[in-house]
C-alpha cells in the first residue's frame, strides 16, 4: 500500500516492511526502484526509522507507518494514550498489518 509522508513516497507491505521509492538516478544509471528501509530496534523491541522530513528529522515507529498506510484516517503524529497501535500477538517486531490494531492505552 503506497502513501506519502511529506517528501517521501513510501510503501508498506502486508508483511510489515516499509519501502521507499527512489526516482531514476541518471548519473549512477539506476532506474526507478523501491528499496526497503532498514530501521533500528528501540528499547522494547519496536522497530523505528529516522526520516528527514521537510519539517525536520523525525523518528517514526514502523508499526505506526504500516497501520497508517492501510488506515489513512489514522493520525500518525498523535502519540497520545487515545491513539495507540497494539500488536495483537504482543510481539513488537511483528508489524504485519493483520497483527496491528488501534486502541486506547486503557484497553
Amino acid at each position: 500500500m503506497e502513501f506519502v509522508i511529506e517528501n517521501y513516497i513510501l510503501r508498506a507491505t502486508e508483511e510489515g516492511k516499509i519501502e521507499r521509492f527512489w526516482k531514476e538516478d541518471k548519473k549512477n544509471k539506476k532506474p526507478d526502484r523501491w528499496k526497503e528501509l532498514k530501521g533500528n530496534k528501540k528499547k522494547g523491541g519496536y522497530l523505528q526509522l529516522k526520516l528527514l522530513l521537510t519539517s525536520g528529522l523525525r523518528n517514526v515507529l514502523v508499526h505506526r507507518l504500516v497501520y497508517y498506510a492501510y488506515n489513512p484516517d489514522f493520525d500518525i503524529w498523535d502519540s497520545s494514550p487515545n491513539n495507540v497501535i497494539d500488536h495483537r500477538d504482543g510481539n513488537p517486531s511483528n508489524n504485519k498489518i493483520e497483527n496491528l490494531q488501534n486502541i486506547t492505552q486503557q484497553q
Side-chain angles (χ1 to χ4, degrees):
M1 183 71 63
E2 293 180 24
F3 62 105
V4 174
I5 299 281
E6 292 188 22
N7 49 317
Y8 286 84
I9 300 172
L10 301 171
R11 176 169 69 186
T13 67
E14 290 180 4
E15 294 77 30
K17 309 276 187 211
I18 298 295
E19 299 172 334
R20 180 179 178 188
F21 181 74
W22 294 86
K23 294 198 181 279
E24 178 182 13
D25 182 350
K26 292 180 183 179
K27 180 180 176 184
N28 295 321
K29 299 180 182 172
K30 292 184 179 179
D32 288 355
R33 65 202 182 282
W34 288 95
K35 184 175 179 185
E36 183 180 341
L37 296 178
K38 305 287 185 187
N40 298 325
K41 278 213 176 167
K42 188 178 165 184
K43 187 176 181 183
Y46 295 96
L47 191 61
Q48 86 178 359
L49 299 172
K50 286 187 181 195
L51 300 178
L52 183 56
L53 304 173
T54 53
S55 60
L57 186 64
R58 296 286 300 257
N59 291 317
V60 186
L61 294 168
V62 169
H63 62 275
R64 293 179 71 83
L65 288 168
V66 172
Y67 189 84
Y68 175 75
Y70 289 89
N71 301 277
D73 292 334
F74 172 70
D75 184 355
I76 194 168
W77 307 119
D78 176 7
S79 59
S80 72
N82 294 324
N83 198 34
V84 174
I85 300 302
D86 179 54
H87 293 79
R88 295 174 197 255
D89 66 359
N91 178 357
S93 296
N94 181 357
N95 294 315
K96 293 180 181 178
I97 187 59
E98 69 266 8
N99 188 47
L100 304 176
Q101 63 182 344
N102 188 217
I103 63 167
T104 65
Q105 218 165 29
Q106 295 171 340
Q107 294 175 313

